Amino acid sequence: MKNLLLPILLIFSMTAYSDNGPENESVISWLNIVDSGEYAASWDESASLFQEQISSSSWVQALNKVRAPLGSVISRKVTGTSAYSTLPGAPAGEYVVVTLATNYENKNAATETVTVTKNGNKWRVVGYFIK
């Protein structure tokens, strides 16, 4: 299965962060949208930085190609959370990278990496990677 890397993953300036904060709730909520096959809605719920990197139609096409074949989520657990103040190609800001161990119907032992940034009082996705 090909890896899905959209749109930001390389990380610099790591700092410690809580594994059970509101950013994790936002990640799980967003992943639930993806899991339900509502790919366009997941794009709508992403940060503007994400939306500037990929169009809604390209996002839907990418997830139909990469995520849909994995099938339903059997289990998912947060395995790590790290905060960063900078990301390559992105403005300085508040970013959190959440890694999750995920078992899908058609793929065991996958790792999902979701990067979020704070927009006002809400954490929004700026990157998503499945390996």
Side-chain angles (χ1 to χ4, degrees):
M1 179 66 40
K2 292 183 180 179
N3 290 338
L4 175 63
L5 174 63
L6 294 172
I8 300 171
L9 276 186
L10 298 176
I11 315 303
F12 297 123
S13 303
M14 187 172 98
T15 57
Y17 217 78
S18 167
D19 282 349
N20 56 6
E23 68 287 342
N24 284 5
E25 293 174 17
S26 293
V27 166
I28 296 300
S29 176
W30 186 86
L31 286 171
N32 287 336
I33 295 169
V34 171
D35 293 342
S36 70
E38 299 290 329
Y39 302 149
S42 72
W43 185 90
D44 291 339
E45 289 297 314
S46 299
S48 59
L49 181 60
F50 181 95
Q51 295 171 349
E52 291 166 6
Q53 300 299 312
I54 188 167
S55 69
S56 177
S57 60
S58 293
W59 177 245
V60 169
Q61 183 178 24
L63 286 181
N64 276 319
K65 183 177 179 182
V66 177
R67 173 60 184 86
L70 298 175
S72 300
V73 171
I74 305 302
S75 65
R76 175 181 281 137
K77 179 182 178 188
V78 173
T79 58
T81 305
S82 300
Y84 301 89
S85 59
T86 60
L87 294 171
E94 199 173 347
Y95 300 95
V96 175
V97 177
V98 180
T99 55
L100 306 102
T102 307
N103 291 309
Y104 296 99
E105 180 179 20
N106 300 319
K107 180 176 175 67
N108 289 322
T111 299
E112 291 178 299
T113 305
V114 184
T115 304
V116 292
T117 190
K118 199 162 190 182
N119 287 84
N121 291 330
K122 184 165 181 165
W123 290 94
R124 296 205 179 257
V125 171
V126 295
Y128 179 48
F129 177 76
I130 302 171
K131 184 174 179 181

